[in-house]
Amino acid sequence: MQLAIVGVVALAAVILVLRGVDLRSLMDQGIVIIRDLGPVVFFAVMAVLPAFGAPMMIFTMTAGQAFEPQLGLAGVIAISLAVVGLNLALGYWVARYALRPVLVGLIKRYGYTVPRVTKENALAVTMLVRLTPGPPYAFQACILGLAEVPFRMYLIVSWLAMVPWTVGAIVLGKGIFSGKFGMVVSGIGVLIVAVVAVQLIRRKLARRRQELTPAEEKV
């Protein structure tokens, strides 16, 4: 999903350039607006909106360029990872408690099922949901919250799954906005490694999933 967003953004950028739009000027203006808001407002919004469907990469790809002069790139990465953790916790709370009846209805309406979690399959279910390509970031949190995955397990697995995507997107965004080719390559490299690692882990988990009974997998 993250790479798909990058692809869509790249395609949109190419179309705008071909149509004569001064993309560099627009990007610089956008970064100035974000920088003027300040890191407190930016990261506060980042902690909330992705839990309700906003793409996390909108924030991670702009954070480096906006606040690296003030916080340093390592500082931006560290704060972003902490904020991702807060957002994951919020997404879990929203799904499990605040909007549970509404979300259950929506999921059933679109033909999805909520995994049934037991002590034996909780880790496997959490990893499968977080590592399955396609479902948006917020939707994954919704599924796991509704499934009542133990919060500590949910947070640890989800946060670890987000680390490479967060770091890769911050480095990639910094490289794109600053015109540093080396950083672009590094950011893309981190994302590619994450994709490969996800595929390897999913293959191992798929064998575990075959051992689960249909009653354990669905409600």
Side-chain angles (χ1 to χ4, degrees):
M1 183 65 184
Q2 287 87 346
L3 286 181
I5 294 174
V6 173
V8 170
V9 172
L11 178 61
V14 171
I15 293 174
L16 289 174
V17 170
L18 292 176
R19 297 187 65 177
V21 176
D22 187 352
L23 192 59
R24 166 54 62 181
S25 177
L26 289 177
M27 291 167 58
D28 291 341
Q29 291 175 26
I31 291 298
V32 169
I33 293 173
I34 293 172
R35 189 174 291 151
D36 287 345
L37 290 174
V40 174
V41 173
F42 176 86
F43 288 113
V45 174
M46 177 179 169
V48 175
L49 289 189
F52 296 92
M56 180 62 79
M57 288 191 79
I58 291 177
F59 298 93
T60 52
M61 288 194 69
T62 55
Q65 181 67 6
F67 301 113
E68 186 270 340
Q70 182 177 353
L71 303 173
L73 190 59
V76 171
I77 291 174
I79 293 172
S80 295
L81 289 173
V83 170
V84 165
L86 292 174
N87 181 262
L88 289 168
L90 175 61
Y92 182 91
W93 177 80
V94 167
R96 183 164 181 176
Y97 302 109
L99 298 178
R100 184 181 182 88
V102 175
L103 294 174
V104 168
L106 286 174
I107 286 176
K108 290 183 177 180
R109 178 180 178 184
Y110 287 100
Y112 290 97
T113 56
V114 179
R116 175 170 292 173
V117 176
T118 65
K119 289 182 179 180
E120 291 73 24
N121 70 8
L123 179 59
V125 168
T126 304
M127 294 182 70
L128 280 169
V129 171
R130 275 300 176 194
L131 299 178
T132 298
Y137 167 87
F139 185 77
Q140 293 174 348
C142 174
I143 289 290
L144 294 174
L146 292 175
E148 300 184 7
V149 169
F151 176 72
R152 181 180 298 180
M153 180 183 296
Y154 158 87
L155 187 60
I156 292 174
V157 173
S158 299
W159 186 82
L160 289 175
M162 285 297 296
V163 167
W165 299 111
T166 302
V167 174
I170 290 173
V171 174
L172 175 60
K174 174 64 179 176
I176 292 173
F177 283 108
S178 63
K180 296 180 179 179
F181 181 73
M183 295 191 73
V184 172
V185 173
S186 296
I188 292 176
V190 172
L191 296 178
I192 291 175
V193 170
V195 170
V196 173
V198 164
Q199 294 304 315
L200 292 175
I201 295 172
R202 286 189 69 246
R203 289 177 184 176
K204 292 183 178 181
L205 290 174
R207 291 195 290 269
R208 171 70 182 276
R209 189 179 184 184
Q210 291 174 357
E211 300 174 0
L212 301 177
T213 64
E216 288 176 315
E217 291 180 326
K218 297 181 180 181
V219 255

